[in-house]
Amino acid sequence: MGQSNRGFSEAGLRRLHDVLARHVESGKIPGVVALFSRGEETHVETLGTMRHDGGAPMRRDTIFRMASTSKPVTMAAAMVLLDECRLRLDDPVEPWLPELADRRVLKRIDGPLDETVPARRPITVRDVLASTFGLGMDMTSLGTPIMNAVFEQGLTPNLPEPMPEPDEWMRRLGTLPLMYQPGERWQYQISNDLVGVLVSRVTGQSFESFLRERVFEPLGMKDTGFHVPADDIDRLPTLYAPDPRTGEFIVWDEAKGGRWSEPPAFQSGGGGLVSTADDYHAYFRMLLNGGTHGSERILSRPAVQLMTTNRLTPEQNAARNAMARDNVHVSFGQGQHGGWGMGMAVRTYRGDYAPVGQFGWDGGSGTSTYADPDNRLTGILLTQVGASVPDSVLLMHDFWTTLYQAIDD
């Protein structure tokens, strides 16, 4: 694995283009923007259209709903606070999140909500940042009383009703017992939204304003935020969630008048960002550069290393790996990375073409964003076809498979 900056082979780039074009020509992917770089060499592919039925072409500056690829980016706000000693990893969160004091924990994951034991210890900042605070989206526990309660309380995105404003969201969260003891088990999603509330309460600013001031503006991420301003709404494609049975293209979110057309009540660190390929490139390149962008330092090198290194024990990984391995029909092969850092997956073994140490994440709206320190490689693949069907995920797999072949050493 040399640190070569020779970039990519001509034949590899042609193959990558052809594979993307095949997905668009299949009729399953209306349009795609792919941006990838190695060292100082950057390439962009824009194919197809903004809508399933045609319309304007995809462009380099098309704005996408980033879904869960929001997680690696929004986590930077918490890392800034760690760097400034305004948060400490092992501080209890209660002073800022009093709703989470004196937690009760379910006796068993599928049991009634009133059969609980006391939490063994308070929830810490570390638990929240590492997605191990005790509550989360658990695809292996669907239909249990606790998962039903999470949905009924409107604590997750993508429900018919948008999430409530942060104080009400916290109040509802505080009515539920934890699924597991603090620090015991990795769980998805809710912790990343909790990070946003924590940052907002520590700083006395909205989550977005702190992110903008400390991360987006210094990186030149001018198109990144939690909604699309009216002047730019024409740059936002339609988001589809095709019918899994028929494949019919069902509109999940229109640009004009849709969920991202005005500021949301809840700024979701877990899945709320809109952004562009170039904005995300700036962010992941900053991580590859150990926290710097040009002459400006955004995060300390140790903060970046903490985010992009596996946090999970073998026991915690066992649950995550089992979900990826045994629910392939649901995940379409996503999630087999081995590890999780803070806000992102980290590869701890070679499960496909990417090497150990690659970090990043995928989004359910058809987005995939990773960086690889060994190869000085960044890749960003953006569509707006939701993972209700495998098509966008299969496109991601093919993008990464061909991108790694295109490396020319």
Side-chain angles (χ1 to χ4, degrees):
M1 286 303 193
Q3 292 280 334
S4 161
N5 278 334
R6 274 179 301 191
F8 306 96
S9 72
E10 285 301 317
L13 291 174
R14 275 198 304 275
R15 175 182 282 180
L16 190 148
H17 170 86
D18 290 346
V19 164
L20 296 181
R22 199 159 69 223
H23 279 273
V24 172
E25 287 156 12
S26 76
K28 302 286 179 66
I29 301 288
V32 60
V33 175
L35 186 154
F36 48 98
S37 70
R38 193 154 180 250
E40 297 308 305
E41 185 181 333
T42 301
H43 295 268
V44 181
E45 294 274 359
T46 58
L47 296 98
T49 54
M50 300 273 280
R51 299 185 61 93
H52 174 55
D53 47 15
M58 282 285 182
R59 304 191 327 203
R60 181 168 180 164
D61 69 348
T62 294
I63 296 170
F64 292 85
R65 302 162 191 79
M66 298 306 292
S68 286
T69 58
S70 304
K71 293 174 171 72
V73 174
T74 55
M75 187 58 71
M79 306 316 283
V80 168
L81 296 179
L82 288 180
D83 273 344
E84 296 181 349
C85 301
R86 293 161 79 181
L87 281 176
R88 297 183 200 89
L89 284 170
D90 294 305
D91 279 348
V93 295
E94 282 168 32
W96 299 287
L97 306 174
E99 297 92 341
L100 297 182
D102 305 320
R103 293 293 78 198
R104 307 284 303 179
V105 182
L106 286 178
K107 278 187 179 171
R108 41 174 242 272
I109 191 67
D110 56 353
L113 299 188
D114 56 0
E115 286 189 16
T116 59
V117 295
R120 286 196 289 265
R121 62 166 176 78
I123 294 169
T124 64
V125 172
R126 185 188 298 271
D127 297 326
V128 173
L129 301 191
S131 296
T132 56
F133 85 99
L135 270 173
M137 296 287 293
D138 188 343
M139 293 320 203
T140 61
S141 302
L142 292 178
T144 58
I146 185 65
M147 280 307 301
N148 291 344
V150 165
F151 294 133
E152 282 158 14
Q153 293 285 352
L155 295 174
T156 59
N158 306 337
L159 297 171
E161 285 296 308
M163 287 156 63
E165 50 85 25
D167 289 351
E168 170 61 14
W169 187 85
M170 284 303 306
R171 186 195 68 73
R172 296 182 193 179
L173 188 66
T175 66
L176 299 179
L178 301 181
M179 298 159 83
Y180 297 98
Q181 289 285 345
E184 184 184 356
R185 186 171 169 138
W186 181 88
Q187 290 184 283
Y188 194 53
Q189 178 64 34
I190 295 178
S191 56
N192 295 91
D193 285 332
L194 190 54
V195 167
V197 183
L198 179 62
V199 167
S200 175
R201 289 188 177 176
V202 170
T203 61
Q205 295 174 247
S206 77
F207 187 35
E208 181 168 33
S209 69
F210 188 73
L211 273 167
R212 192 168 300 291
E213 186 183 302
R214 303 306 299 275
V215 182
F216 302 160
E217 281 177 0
L219 285 170
M221 296 171 70
K222 62 185 188 304
D223 290 317
T224 304
F226 290 101
H227 83 288
V228 181
D231 294 351
D232 293 320
I233 202 78
D234 290 337
R235 291 163 57 196
L236 182 70
T238 307
L239 172 60
Y240 297 97
D243 185 312
R245 291 179 303 283
T246 65
E248 179 198 350
F249 268 73
I250 294 168
V251 172
W252 198 88
D253 189 59
E254 267 305 355
K256 290 187 174 68
R259 285 196 175 205
W260 278 267
S261 63
E262 51 189 64
F266 191 99
Q267 296 168 355
S268 166
L273 288 183
V274 289
S275 192
T276 61
D278 279 290
D279 279 11
Y280 256 60
H281 187 226
Y283 180 79
F284 276 87
R285 284 289 295 273
M286 177 272 291
L287 295 182
L288 280 185
N289 290 333
T292 59
H293 175 75
S295 60
E296 191 151 6
R297 179 161 287 288
I298 312 293
L299 296 173
S300 69
R301 184 177 292 276
V304 173
Q305 289 168 334
L306 185 63
M307 292 170 79
T308 59
T309 305
N310 176 43
R311 305 254 68 70
L312 302 185
T313 65
E315 296 75 34
Q316 289 169 332
N317 255 332
R320 188 167 131 71
N321 291 344
M323 186 184 138
R325 187 184 61 235
D326 301 337
N327 289 302
V328 170
H329 61 291
V330 176
S331 67
F332 315 121
Q334 281 175 302
Q336 301 203 36
H337 308 83
W340 189 265
M342 289 177 171
M344 63 190 97
V346 182
R347 291 191 185 265
T348 56
Y349 68 99
R350 193 158 194 138
D352 57 25
Y353 282 35
V356 169
Q358 187 209 44
F359 56 80
W361 197 224
D362 306 307
S365 59
T367 55
S368 185
T369 58
Y370 289 84
D372 165 1
D374 255 10
N375 291 295
R376 303 292 298 159
L377 177 81
T378 305
I380 294 150
L381 179 87
L382 305 174
T383 72
Q384 297 282 254
V385 178
S388 55
V389 290
D391 302 313
S392 59
V393 186
L394 301 180
L395 168 65
M396 291 172 200
H397 287 305
D398 293 351
F399 169 69
W400 290 107
T401 298
T402 48
L403 182 58
Y404 271 103
Q405 292 175 64
I407 290 176
D408 187 22
D409 278 344

